[in-house]
Amino acid sequence: MVFRSRPGARAGHQKQRPGGTAEGFTDEVAELVPIEATDTLDAEVRALARQIASRLLIPRAKKDARSQRGAGAIASVPYRRGSDEIDLDKTIEMLAERPVPEDEDIIVRERVRTRRSVVLVVDVSGSMKGERIRTAAAIVGALAGELSNDDLALIAFWSDAAVLQTFGQHQSPDRLLDLLTSIPARGLTNVGFPLELAAQELRKRPAQDARVLLLSDCVHNAGPDPRPIAALLPRLDVMLDLSGEHDTELARDLTRAGRGVLQTVLTHRDVAPALTRIFTA
């Protein structure tokens, strides 16, 4: 689904930021239209996305009470070989009912895996060619593979936005990449609008580990100020694309408002380590 601004939208003022970057504000009205994949992704780029996906490992806590990092909450569960911290209170309750216990009657404390809900928001404004499309493809391919058992939504945006996958859908990485590259490159960048869509998506699936991951140069020149929208998200991480013009100040403001992490990427080679740092911060 694509949100497209109607013709005749009234443009707002342009504010010049330090370094010469123009920040624009408009009051565009959006409408919803469909989008279909056209299988335009270059075979070399597709192979690269798969290669990076295979190298990506977003650490997650082991099911072991000794592990204190990563996603997951400590819970009392029946003994499964390998656990070593007994929940004495709950075990005593269980033994009071069963004088001759089985292994499963011993209650232990483990870190239980929590489901992650991630909305990936990808900037497709301007020219989606060369290194920029490689970086975008690498991120989509990596997350689609790594989060196959979690909730992943994908939104592409320019001055408007396209919802390529919602929570509950499980499209292949190749399908998502085809959808992403089927969108014609557009000139303006509205950062706030896709963040609003991401917030709507996250409300569908409340999760302990819920976040929005934004890939953009953050050169915002259409739509309202995105900072207040970022502040409403459970967490907003930003991967700032340095391959062309970019706005580091806005990227910092967004991550600060969204209580997230800022990472910079210059080429597709930066994707895997940046993602790992974001998901372990």
Side-chain angles (χ1 to χ4, degrees):
M1 295 186 293
V2 176
F3 292 83
R4 178 173 297 166
S5 56
R6 294 174 184 166
R10 180 167 59 85
H13 68 276
Q14 291 281 336
K15 181 173 71 174
Q16 196 72 16
R17 303 196 59 169
T21 301
E23 180 180 335
F25 299 91
T26 63
D27 58 355
E28 300 175 7
V29 179
E31 62 183 13
L32 190 63
V33 296
I35 184 171
E36 296 294 337
T38 57
D39 193 20
T40 58
L41 187 63
D42 181 85
E44 181 181 351
V45 175
R46 190 190 303 279
L48 176 65
R50 289 173 174 167
Q51 180 183 6
I52 293 178
S54 68
R55 294 204 307 265
L56 178 69
L57 176 61
I58 300 175
R60 188 196 292 276
K62 298 177 181 179
K63 293 184 178 180
D64 189 324
R66 291 169 296 181
S67 177
Q68 299 298 316
R69 298 185 60 194
I74 296 295
S76 295
V77 297
Y79 173 77
R80 292 183 291 257
R81 298 185 187 281
S83 304
D84 61 0
E85 183 178 334
I86 298 177
D87 186 328
L88 288 176
D89 290 340
K90 292 189 180 297
T91 298
I92 290 172
E93 291 177 7
M94 185 68 71
L95 295 182
E97 299 177 4
R98 302 178 184 179
V100 182
E102 302 290 339
D103 285 349
E104 292 76 12
D105 296 328
I106 306 298
I107 306 301
V108 297
R109 293 178 59 79
E110 291 185 351
R111 188 173 294 277
V112 179
R113 178 189 185 278
T114 56
R115 191 174 186 85
R116 294 175 289 188
S117 294
V118 179
V119 182
L120 175 60
V121 178
V122 179
D123 185 349
V124 297
S125 62
S127 176
M128 283 293 288
K129 297 180 181 179
E131 194 58 40
R132 194 170 184 206
I133 188 60
R134 290 185 178 90
T135 297
I139 293 175
V140 172
L143 287 184
E146 175 66 22
L147 302 177
S148 59
N149 294 320
D150 297 272
D151 282 324
L152 174 66
L154 174 60
I155 299 173
F157 75 98
W158 52 103
S159 57
D160 308 308
V163 180
L164 306 183
Q165 176 165 288
T166 61
F167 288 157
Q169 291 182 299
H170 297 285
Q171 303 179 89
S172 69
D174 284 355
R175 169 70 177 176
L176 292 177
L177 292 173
D178 287 338
L179 285 169
L180 182 68
T181 55
S182 297
I183 303 172
R186 309 298 173 95
L188 298 180
T189 305
N190 182 341
V191 177
F193 186 45
L195 296 185
E196 290 180 343
L197 298 177
Q200 294 173 18
E201 193 66 27
L202 286 172
R203 283 195 288 270
K204 299 177 184 178
R205 295 285 184 95
Q208 184 175 353
D209 187 356
R211 69 179 75 201
V212 177
L213 174 57
L214 171 67
L215 169 64
S216 177
D217 56 23
C218 291
V219 181
H220 176 77
N221 50 28
D225 184 353
R227 297 172 185 81
I229 305 170
L232 299 176
L233 299 171
R235 172 168 171 166
L236 172 62
D237 300 304
V238 177
M239 294 183 69
L240 180 63
D241 183 355
L242 302 181
S243 62
E245 183 183 6
H246 55 276
D247 190 336
T248 304
E249 182 180 344
L250 179 59
R252 287 173 178 162
D253 288 349
L254 291 173
T255 52
R256 187 180 302 114
R259 301 160 297 280
V261 173
L262 171 63
Q263 291 290 312
T264 59
V265 289
L266 181 61
T267 74
H268 65 273
R269 296 179 180 86
D270 302 322
V271 168
L275 283 174
T276 300
R277 286 192 291 268
I278 284 174
F279 279 88
T280 55

